[in-house]
Amino acid sequence: MLDKRLLQEARRTRCFLWLTIILGLFSACFIVLQAGLLARIINRVFLEGQGLAEVKIMLGLLLAVFLGRAVVTWLSEVFSHKTAAGIKEDLRQRLLSHLFTLGPNKIKDESTGELVNSLVEGVETLEAYFARYLPQLALAALVPLFILGFVFPLDLLSGGIMLLTAPLIPLFMILIGKWADSLSRKQWQSLSRMSAHFLDVLQGITTLKLFGRSRAQLEVIARVSDRFRETTLGVLRVAFLSALALELLSTLSTALVAVGLGLRLVYGRILFEEAIFILLLAPEFYLPLRLLGTQFHAGMAGVSAAERIYAILESDNKQETNREQEINEEEKINKVKRTKKETKIEQDTDKIQATDNKQDTNKEKHYIKRELSQEQFKELKVMENGLSGLRLKCAENSFLLMENVYYAYDRRQGEVLKGVSFKFSVGERVALVGESGAGKSTVAGLLMGFIKPDLGKIVCSSQGALLCLDSPHPNNEGQGEQWSSGSVLTKWRENIALVPQHAHLFSGTVADNILLGRTDASREEVVAAAKLAGAHDFISRLAQGYDTPVGEGGTNLSGGQVQRLALARAFLKEAPFLILDEATSGLEEAGEARIQEALEYLRPARGVLIIAHRLALAAQADRILVLSEGRIVEEGKHEELLQRRGVYYRLVKAYGGAA
Amino acid sequence: MKDFLSLLKLLKPYRLGIVIALLFSFLTVVSNVGLMAVSAVLISWAALHPPILDLMTTIVAVRFFGISRAVFRYLERYFSHDVTFKILKTLRIDFYSKLEPLAPACLKAYRSGDLLARLVGEVEALKDFYLRVLAPPLTAFLVLIGVFIFLSDFDLKFALVFLVFYFLTGIIIPLTLKRLSRGLKEEMLEVKADLNARLVDSIQGMTEITVYGQAENQLRLVAGLGGKLARLQGKMAGFSGLTQAGSQIAMNLAGWCVLVLAIPMVASGRLEGIFLAMLPLCVGTSFEAVASLPLVFSYWEESRTAWKRLREVTEAPNYLFSQAHEPQSQARTLTQHLSLTQTLGQSQPQTQTPVPVQIPTPNSSTAKIPTLTPEPNPNPNKTGTQEKVISVPELTGQYSLEIKDLWFRYSPEEPWIFRGVSFNILQGEKVALTGPSGAGKSTLVNLLLRFYEYEIGTIKLGGKELKSYRPEDIRQVFGVVSQTTHLFNTTIRENLLLAKPSATEQEMWEAAKKAKIHDFIQSLPQGYDTYIGEGGYKLSGGQRQRVAIARALLKNAPILVLDEATANLDALAEREVLESLLELFQARTVLVIAHRRAPVKKMDKVIDLPSVQYE
């Protein structure tokens, strides 16, 4: 029941642990002293016929011992809690920061309920492990040994009984504990699953009512509860068995010691004072072991929780195999089929990398209008459409490029992206369209660095700096580290703002939520961003305006309103690139027109990628990329693509020719 | 106290189990007292060198207690935990069954993470009500009586000393310290709740946190709260350490006092010497029963807050439901409001000219204007069960919808959402309902489904007032697919069969084919038995919607409501799905709710929500 990883955690607060052990020794001393004094007093009064006056010094000493014990008890409680608190804090931080490095695409598989449970309850469970179980373990090892040192010289037989039974107790604990361990794991799982199930039922209660099934859910809850009761009782039945064995061992041996002492006393083979001393010590000898038994469950729960916590901590971004080779072979076959355009883009990237060293190629100018070294920032303070004060910093020569990118979530289910290449620059408005499931959101995830490409490159050139997200090379340690250290990713993400389809509002005020885009923005800028996103009107109507609390426990906003706040947030961020991932599907026509206006306003400072299956926004884009079956199959302006009568034409036609 | 009694009521069915568990718990303590007391007597007696046979009974008693303690403890634990988990089940069912009729209105204010904490956390905390709140004092009381009687047999003084220290340890010390740490405890709970909310935010808002580089910041916030919590917990530990130390001293002192009292008695021969060792041991060991009492108070606090929070959800005074549940007040407000709107309706009959209208409130003086129309049925609740109800929906029924002068707002403090909405939908019509976000399109659906009660105006279904039907029957009439339609964390099959548990494989496939999702499902390795993850996360947005549409199709209701249902589909699929739906539902009513016009071309009628009300 000692988890190595948990003990390593304990090492961080080693001095506290040592203190706990020293305090344990002190308490053992006091126990022996107390028993000795009591035995002597009783002996004097009972057999030697002394009165109160003769034993009053010893009675006074006894009081002092009581006080000493109490102080030790208090101190050990305080210290063990300190130990636990430090460790818990540290673990929670590590868990959270690890989840952040894993990123949003990875945690989609986990249910939020279970993750929160691990983060909150799981970490709290460790309190019992560190504050109760571990100190008790120390006591259980020290106190019996100390007592034995006093019993053996006085009475071999009693000492022998104690010595024989004591090791049996941990033995039983380990034997039964191992058995109960797997059951305990099950219990933890079923508790986790039960909480997830409940959340699910409650979130879906409206749906259940719609189908007239909400009442029937009672039965399911009863069934789930019963199953939980059964598994938990199953665990406890066994866990209690270990307690039974422990209890039985200690009480039965106390009884044996007592009877043995009594019999030897009759024959005068032992002194009364010694006999009563040993009797007083017998329960104290077993007490720490028994208490360890009661903490055993806490210990197991801690280890189970730790299991889950470390599973999260050790979960990797993606299992690497010899994917590289697989793709390379596919590549060879595909190369022949490749279109000219793709090759061009590849050349392009090669050129860009070349410019890092020398800056004289003239072909590249065709793609990169201005030289990378020439940083051109524009500070615009525009008064337009009543929008004022939003700072627009822009680097005109920035671009974002994706080259021959492959990606599969799960190789068995096939590739989502099969060699996607495109590029867009600041000042451009590009739309990415395609049927649902074509891989549009995967492109967004890759561009944000949430997931790594299996193969291919993603390059961002911004403000003169060139950043590259490569496919991970299994034999290249350095790059793998770069990914996890996130220094590249952090810089990368500074350049891109994303509005996801379902935006999250954090607990805090409306202003706080917009400020997330750029924390040092002034109130004027927040208002300007909100106006730009068409959120200002409804915010002003809220009871406390921009200071209205939203998110968990705050005012409820409609889906469209949340989406507008998310847009405002993204507008505020001074990133040269903006990705709207189905961000306007919650908005009505007027709202969408508003966004068009806003994008037009932002045009000099932003490159915008609109991911949409709604074609109204897409139709007005400078360039439309059509994604189908993991590839970009068409590219061009709305009219051009319509004339081509290809995939885009079909999409538009289906939409009713609205655009 | 009221909380305590209402909780006790929940335990009532488990009386027998509780009595058994209590009995074993008492016997466990008594066995230990017996073991130590009899052993002390045995040794003291043996010191006087009696014939060995005289000791036999005592020896047997020592051995008996040596075994019985462990057995009783095991039984006590088993039974008390069994009771605990039964209580847990009762609590859950109790909570859910109270919540279910009020949903979704009562859940408007709660979001998922909070609900999780509430339902699971609070119910979990309450399950310990018996084990940690009820059982310890009752056991302590039984032991008190037993030991008191035993000690007073020797001398009343012993019994009284025991009584004093027993109370001191069990009640006075823990209560005093609890009072001292009360503020701390409240602060701790607050910080804990904050931390919890932060963590939920961190996980659910991970995309935004990553995009905006807020990870560091979020970690710092969590660390700040965590540190604060740790400090508070540290202080709390100090208090609990003090409680423990105090109780320990009191226990030792009790034995000490008994000893001091007994010594002169032995010296003077009023007490036999063989009992001298036994008395302090007996007193000391019996304190085992009060050892867990200090925690009782904090556990009770926990239970009570948990209980209160659960009831907060289920018993919250709900503006909309208080009307539905109090026929008297509803009758009054209804007539008032009706008279008022009827008057407005009469004074401006179908004129398009915008006449400035005062926003009527229930208390406004205009309510005094005499009614021009006969009194409407003021008490729909009473009549609800008696009037003819729609049973299993069949297409032979008449399902026209007639909405007239509908006024609605979520609470008296909030602005009106509908200000006299009126329109009709005939059976079989294909209608598009449009309006900007916030116009109340989804609210209207909620009203049609009677998730909320409307105050003023009428909604007629098949010519009869909506309120005269049972809500369950109304919901049978509507098949609803909305953007918030929930998919459960189970298989596709179970999600679909929710609509019609008795459906055959063929029916299910049919529905899926019509929603254009069948082929996709079949392409999955596990087909219809594929688990779709929390909220259907393993499916794309469009796939989720198609599954939801298939589910609604399987329900085969006379009125189909598509509340932005196809917003997540690409244009091609949306058109396909909508067209096939309209075709399929030729005989039925289809209400398509959209803030865009594009997908709703072939409609019989387009209702623009803002333009069908006075303002």
Side-chain angles (χ1 to χ4, degrees):
Chain A
M1 282 308 297
L2 280 171
D3 190 285
K4 266 184 211 140
R5 291 167 301 189
L6 284 180
L7 279 186
Q8 261 161 12
E9 304 292 337
R11 247 176 235 156
R12 282 159 218 271
T13 39
R14 197 183 290 173
C15 70
F16 285 125
L17 262 180
W18 274 114
L19 259 170
T20 315
I21 289 169
I22 290 166
L23 286 170
L25 276 177
F26 265 107
S27 114
C29 284
F30 283 128
I31 286 166
V32 171
L33 257 173
Q34 184 176 338
L37 282 167
L38 254 177
R40 186 150 297 176
I41 294 168
I42 291 166
N43 185 45
R44 295 261 172 98
V45 176
F46 171 41
L47 291 180
E48 294 171 23
Q50 291 186 349
L52 206 51
E54 285 101 327
V55 293
K56 71 170 181 241
I57 294 171
M58 277 189 286
L59 281 171
L61 275 176
L62 207 52
L63 285 180
V65 170
F66 293 163
L67 200 67
R69 272 188 90 170
V71 171
V72 168
T73 306
W74 176 61
L75 284 178
S76 54
E77 178 85 9
V78 171
F79 284 124
S80 55
H81 266 279
K82 278 232 163 92
T83 317
I87 294 165
K88 273 183 344 192
E89 207 26 55
D90 179 59
L91 261 181
R92 189 156 31 218
Q93 285 290 307
R94 272 161 54 204
L95 258 180
L96 199 58
S97 69
H98 184 74
L99 285 174
F100 282 144
T101 43
L102 278 184
N105 280 47
K106 289 291 155 191
I107 64 163
K108 264 187 190 172
D109 291 345
E110 303 271 350
S111 70
T112 14
E114 277 177 45
L115 274 179
V116 172
N117 203 350
S118 295
L119 223 61
V120 183
E121 297 306 320
V123 172
E124 280 304 317
T125 314
L126 293 181
E127 159 106 23
Y129 184 85
F130 287 110
R132 312 227 163 266
Y133 179 71
L134 272 190
Q136 195 59 50
L137 198 64
L139 281 183
L142 293 172
V143 175
L145 273 178
F146 196 82
I147 290 176
L148 220 51
F150 284 86
V151 174
F152 254 114
L154 296 176
D155 183 30
L156 270 178
L157 193 68
S158 302
I161 292 174
M162 287 180 179
L163 188 65
L164 274 179
T165 48
L168 283 180
I169 291 176
L171 193 75
F172 265 106
M173 255 170 55
I174 291 165
L175 277 180
I176 303 167
K178 278 255 162 78
W179 181 23
D181 199 36
S182 64
L183 288 170
S184 164
R185 257 173 247 252
K186 259 194 213 156
Q187 190 226 353
W188 175 259
Q189 275 174 3
S190 88
L191 181 68
S192 250
R193 231 178 284 132
M194 197 177 62
S195 45
H197 170 254
F198 262 103
L199 178 61
D200 200 29
V201 168
L202 281 170
Q203 283 174 331
I205 200 164
T206 312
T207 304
L208 286 170
K209 279 186 104 166
L210 271 174
F211 291 108
R213 303 284 298 158
S214 53
R215 282 272 128 194
Q217 204 59 30
L218 271 176
E219 197 190 304
V220 178
I221 292 171
R223 204 171 57 228
V224 171
S225 302
D226 274 334
R227 207 167 359 159
F228 175 71
R229 181 170 71 97
E230 274 158 29
T231 49
T232 309
L233 270 184
V235 175
L236 294 181
R237 208 178 293 149
V238 180
F240 292 165
L241 213 58
S242 75
L244 172 87
L246 297 178
E247 197 100 43
L248 198 62
L249 268 173
S250 68
T251 50
L252 203 57
S253 13
T254 308
L256 278 179
V257 167
V259 170
L261 287 170
L263 290 178
R264 265 168 294 140
L265 259 178
V266 175
Y267 300 113
R269 289 197 204 134
I270 195 170
L271 292 174
F272 171 72
E273 189 187 323
E274 288 166 7
I276 205 86
F277 173 65
I278 293 170
L279 178 72
L280 286 171
L281 281 182
E284 300 284 4
F285 176 82
Y286 292 107
L287 189 68
L289 290 167
R290 261 176 38 207
L291 285 180
L292 185 62
T294 61
Q295 299 301 336
F296 192 77
H297 205 62
M300 287 206 301
V303 171
S304 300
E307 205 69 34
R308 177 96 183 100
I309 288 167
Y310 285 107
I312 296 174
L313 276 179
E314 283 154 18
S315 63
D316 191 24
N317 267 358
K318 192 166 179 173
Q319 328 80 308
E320 313 295 353
T321 50
N322 47 355
R323 173 79 185 133
E324 189 81 356
Q325 285 182 342
E326 276 174 43
I327 300 255
N328 274 340
E329 271 160 35
E330 279 174 47
E331 239 352 56
K332 280 174 198 159
I333 305 162
N334 284 347
K335 226 163 201 167
V336 194
K337 301 178 194 163
R338 262 203 221 161
T339 61
K340 266 185 188 170
K341 190 195 76 214
E342 275 175 293
T343 337
K344 234 185 193 172
I345 287 187
E346 197 184 40
Q347 281 171 358
D348 184 27
T349 12
D350 291 340
K351 296 290 154 52
I352 292 156
Q353 279 170 333
T355 32
D356 247 1
N357 308 320
K358 45 177 186 142
Q359 306 184 346
D360 56 355
T361 357
N362 51 2
K363 267 187 196 169
E364 57 161 324
K365 278 185 184 168
H366 179 67
Y367 296 100
I368 310 158
K369 284 163 193 155
R370 262 152 256 212
E371 282 170 291
L372 291 170
S373 56
Q374 233 182 332
E375 292 172 38
Q376 289 208 338
F377 298 106
K378 269 194 180 175
E379 291 266 353
L380 298 177
K381 290 245 176 192
V382 197
M383 302 280 269
E384 212 181 284
N385 304 340
L387 313 161
S388 63
L390 187 64
R391 207 164 77 207
L392 288 178
K393 196 165 87 182
C394 58
E396 286 196 327
N397 47 13
S398 303
F399 65 84
L400 204 56
L401 179 147
M402 204 177 226
E403 192 225 324
N404 199 26
V405 166
Y406 282 76
Y407 189 79
Y409 285 99
D410 185 342
R411 221 145 289 150
R412 279 162 296 172
Q413 286 177 13
E415 270 147 355
V416 184
L417 299 184
K418 302 167 192 164
V420 170
S421 305
F422 67 88
K423 175 190 167 185
F424 73 101
S425 318
V426 163
E428 257 194 302
R429 204 193 303 163
V430 176
L432 183 68
V433 300
E435 289 181 38
S436 52
K440 294 179 305 239
S441 290
T442 311
V443 170
L446 284 163
L447 284 177
M448 280 319 297
F450 293 157
I451 41 179
K452 313 178 225 184
D454 289 330
L455 193 77
K457 258 187 202 113
I458 308 172
V459 179
C460 169
S461 154
S462 163
Q463 304 168 16
L466 198 66
L467 296 167
C468 180
L469 296 184
D470 253 347
S471 60
H473 295 276
N475 31 7
N476 190 339
E477 290 284 308
Q479 256 169 334
E481 256 173 35
Q482 264 191 340
W483 261 101
S484 50
S485 73
S487 61
V488 171
L489 278 176
T490 314
K491 270 203 194 122
W492 181 275
R493 286 177 189 145
E494 276 167 12
N495 289 304
I496 310 176
L498 169 89
V499 184
Q501 191 175 1
H502 299 287
H504 180 79
L505 284 191
F506 294 83
S507 21
T509 63
V510 169
D512 289 342
N513 268 287
I514 298 177
L515 274 171
L516 202 65
R518 178 153 50 87
T519 30
D520 62 351
S522 67
R523 176 53 69 95
E524 286 75 45
E525 286 179 288
V526 168
V527 174
K531 278 183 178 162
L532 207 52
H536 180 71
D537 291 347
F538 85 81
I539 296 172
S540 329
R541 278 200 301 270
L542 293 173
Q544 291 153 271
Y546 281 85
D547 298 316
T548 310
V550 289
E552 200 109 348
T555 310
N556 272 281
L557 298 178
S558 79
Q561 289 169 333
V562 172
Q563 227 44 45
R564 280 168 214 256
L565 285 186
L567 281 163
R569 195 190 268 168
F571 290 159
L572 195 60
K573 183 170 176 176
E574 280 177 329
F577 300 103
L578 175 62
I579 301 175
L580 306 179
D581 185 1
E582 312 270 4
T584 54
S585 64
L587 298 181
E588 70 277 14
E589 264 167 292
E592 208 168 77
R594 188 93 190 237
I595 300 308
Q596 288 277 20
E597 257 171 56
L599 293 182
E600 206 47 59
Y601 170 79
L602 289 169
R603 185 190 277 274
R606 301 272 197 283
V608 183
L609 180 70
I610 299 160
I611 296 176
H613 51 239
R614 297 265 163 204
L615 300 179
L617 263 186
Q620 293 174 37
D622 305 331
R623 192 147 54 91
I624 299 166
L625 307 167
V626 185
L627 193 65
S628 178
E629 292 176 352
R631 286 165 211 272
I632 307 265
V633 290
E634 286 172 23
E635 183 177 347
K637 279 196 183 301
H638 176 69
E639 292 77 19
E640 291 168 20
L641 290 178
L642 277 185
Q643 279 168 10
R644 237 197 241 191
R645 307 235 152 196
V647 179
Y648 184 75
Y649 176 76
R650 266 184 284 133
L651 280 172
V652 171
K653 221 180 117 197
Y655 192 48
Chain B
M1 202 59 206
K2 217 180 80 190
D3 300 318
F4 187 74
L5 289 177
S6 61
L7 262 174
L8 271 189
K9 230 177 251 168
L10 274 179
L11 303 195
K12 225 176 168 187
Y14 310 117
R15 266 169 310 191
L16 187 67
I18 288 173
V19 168
I20 291 173
L22 268 181
L23 186 71
F24 283 128
S25 149
F26 168 69
L27 287 175
T28 308
V29 180
V30 165
S31 291
N32 200 34
V33 175
L35 174 64
M36 290 316 287
V38 179
S39 297
V41 169
L42 171 70
I43 286 174
S44 304
W45 197 358
L48 301 175
H49 310 294
I52 211 109
L53 271 177
D54 291 5
L55 292 176
M56 277 330 279
T57 351
T58 331
I59 289 173
V60 170
V62 169
R63 285 179 181 155
F64 168 77
F65 284 127
I67 294 169
S68 69
R69 154 120 179 145
V71 174
F72 287 142
R73 165 59 59 90
Y74 183 86
L75 291 171
E76 177 247 318
R77 283 183 160 185
Y78 187 81
F79 281 104
S80 57
H81 279 80
D82 188 45
V83 167
T84 298
F85 292 123
K86 281 179 181 154
I87 292 169
L88 182 62
K89 177 182 156 187
T90 311
L91 281 167
R92 265 192 216 121
I93 290 179
D94 180 69
F95 181 63
Y96 183 83
S97 60
K98 278 182 191 154
L99 185 80
E100 189 267 339
L102 305 175
C106 72
L107 294 178
K108 204 176 155 241
Y110 303 103
R111 297 254 308 270
S112 62
D114 196 29
L115 260 177
L116 177 80
R118 260 162 213 269
L119 192 71
V120 180
E122 311 295 6
V123 169
E124 285 290 306
L126 271 181
K127 81 171 193 289
D128 292 332
F129 176 69
Y130 166 73
L131 206 59
R132 290 177 170 163
V133 178
L134 205 58
L138 288 176
T139 311
F141 183 68
L142 290 177
V143 171
L144 172 71
I145 291 173
V147 175
F148 190 86
I149 291 171
F150 178 73
L151 286 177
S152 57
D153 200 37
F154 289 91
D155 195 304
L156 194 63
K157 271 184 291 182
F158 298 149
L160 289 174
V161 164
F162 165 72
L163 191 73
V164 168
F165 283 103
Y166 201 76
F167 268 113
L168 201 63
T169 317
I171 295 172
I172 294 165
I173 293 176
L175 260 189
T176 318
L177 283 163
K178 187 204 132 207
R179 193 144 294 165
L180 289 175
S181 64
R182 180 174 287 163
L184 199 64
K185 181 123 205 167
E186 275 162 21
E187 207 182 330
M188 211 164 92
L189 283 175
E190 258 170 53
V191 175
K192 237 181 176 165
D194 281 353
L195 181 64
N196 204 352
R198 263 298 155 213
L199 290 173
V200 171
D201 260 357
S202 305
I203 287 172
Q204 290 180 343
M206 179 128 348
T207 307
E208 279 84 351
I209 289 173
T210 323
V211 170
Y212 295 106
Q214 292 295 306
E216 295 283 318
N217 196 24
Q218 194 72 12
L219 279 172
R220 217 179 46 240
L221 284 169
V222 168
L225 285 170
K228 206 169 162 194
L229 184 66
R231 272 197 302 284
L232 293 172
Q233 277 176 334
K235 277 189 200 164
M236 241 5 232
F239 276 111
S240 94
L242 274 181
T243 313
Q244 278 180 37
S247 306
Q248 198 184 41
I249 282 199
M251 178 186 91
N252 284 329
L253 274 179
W256 188 84
C257 287
V258 168
L259 190 67
V260 169
L261 284 173
I263 288 171
M265 287 170 72
V266 172
S268 64
R270 271 182 293 148
L271 182 73
E272 270 190 80
I274 54 167
F275 297 123
L276 183 66
M278 182 274 281
L279 284 172
L281 263 179
C282 167
V283 169
T285 44
S286 62
F287 272 70
E288 186 193 354
V290 286
S292 54
L293 284 189
L295 292 175
V296 166
F297 300 105
S298 51
Y299 281 129
W300 166 233
E301 275 312 314
E302 245 171 63
S303 297
R304 194 167 64 175
T305 13
W307 186 232
K308 268 190 181 156
R309 282 186 64 180
L310 288 181
R311 293 207 311 196
E312 229 170 70
V313 181
T314 54
E315 291 169 20
N318 191 309
Y319 166 67
L320 302 156
F321 272 86
S322 61
Q323 295 178 10
H325 288 177
E326 290 162 38
Q328 292 264 303
S329 73
Q330 173 169 10
R332 193 179 58 245
T333 46
L334 245 185
T335 41
Q336 259 181 16
H337 289 179
L338 275 172
S339 63
L340 176 130
T341 37
Q342 300 285 359
T343 319
L344 285 170
Q346 292 289 335
S347 59
Q348 304 153 1
Q350 284 95 32
T351 47
Q352 299 297 323
T353 42
V355 181
V357 176
Q358 293 270 316
I359 297 166
T361 57
N363 305 322
S364 81
S365 56
T366 38
K368 284 172 195 150
I369 295 168
T371 59
L372 298 172
T373 46
E375 199 83 345
N377 177 8
N379 202 342
N381 263 49
K382 222 188 218 166
T383 49
T385 47
Q386 290 159 3
E387 240 177 281
K388 181 214 151 207
V389 290
I390 298 168
S391 55
V392 189
E394 279 177 26
L395 278 169
T396 51
Q398 224 286 329
Y399 300 111
S400 62
L401 276 169
E402 194 183 324
I403 294 172
K404 208 172 172 200
D405 290 325
L406 185 68
W407 290 70
F408 178 78
R409 57 184 168 180
Y410 281 105
S411 78
E413 294 81 40
E414 283 179 49
W416 292 98
I417 291 173
F418 298 138
R419 302 150 169 271
V421 167
S422 304
F423 63 84
N424 294 328
I425 296 174
L426 298 176
Q427 165 129 27
E429 264 187 320
K430 311 289 177 279
V431 179
L433 188 70
T434 59
S437 56
K441 298 184 301 278
S442 296
T443 306
L444 190 72
V445 178
N446 280 334
L447 286 178
L448 288 178
L449 292 167
R450 284 199 65 190
F451 282 146
Y452 290 102
E453 298 296 347
Y454 47 96
E455 292 175 66
I456 317 165
T458 53
I459 300 178
K460 282 185 179 168
L461 175 66
K464 287 213 175 70
E465 186 65 37
L466 199 64
K467 284 179 181 174
S468 65
Y469 300 107
R470 288 193 314 175
E472 301 89 85
D473 295 323
I474 288 165
R475 284 167 208 151
Q476 285 297 311
V477 176
F478 290 94
V480 181
V481 184
S482 73
Q483 271 195 310
T484 56
T485 299
H486 187 76
L487 292 186
F488 293 88
N489 189 357
T490 172
T491 59
I492 296 177
R493 177 189 307 276
E494 278 191 58
N495 266 294
L496 289 177
L497 289 185
L498 189 70
K500 192 178 175 192
S502 63
T504 62
E505 194 76 7
Q506 213 52 46
E507 286 178 274
M508 188 172 75
W509 286 18
E510 272 313 304
K513 276 177 189 160
K514 285 172 194 162
K516 312 264 183 249
I517 187 76
H518 176 73
D519 291 340
F520 166 74
I521 297 173
Q522 287 294 47
S523 76
L524 295 170
Q526 280 151 308
Y528 279 85
D529 295 313
T530 308
Y531 276 83
I532 57 169
E534 189 187 331
Y537 252 111
K538 293 188 179 158
L539 302 179
S540 77
Q543 289 159 350
R544 281 203 291 274
Q545 286 305 337
R546 285 166 195 241
V547 171
I549 290 170
R551 183 161 66 182
L553 289 179
L554 194 58
K555 185 175 175 180
N556 202 14
I559 303 178
L560 182 67
V561 179
L562 301 171
D563 184 2
E564 304 276 347
T566 50
N568 279 339
L569 297 182
D570 60 72
L572 195 69
E574 179 174 49
R575 183 118 181 257
E576 252 181 84
V577 169
L578 271 182
E579 271 174 9
S580 72
L581 282 182
L582 292 181
E583 207 169 295
L584 280 166
F585 275 67
Q586 265 174 356
R588 289 167 224 206
T589 312
V590 180
L591 182 60
V592 178
I593 292 174
H595 49 234
R596 301 159 193 271
R597 276 163 203 283
V600 290
K601 283 221 151 170
K602 288 187 181 171
M603 293 292 165
D604 298 329
K605 199 191 269 178
V606 175
I607 297 169
D608 186 37
L609 202 48
S611 63
V612 291
Q613 48 189 316
Y614 306 112
E615 195 171 2

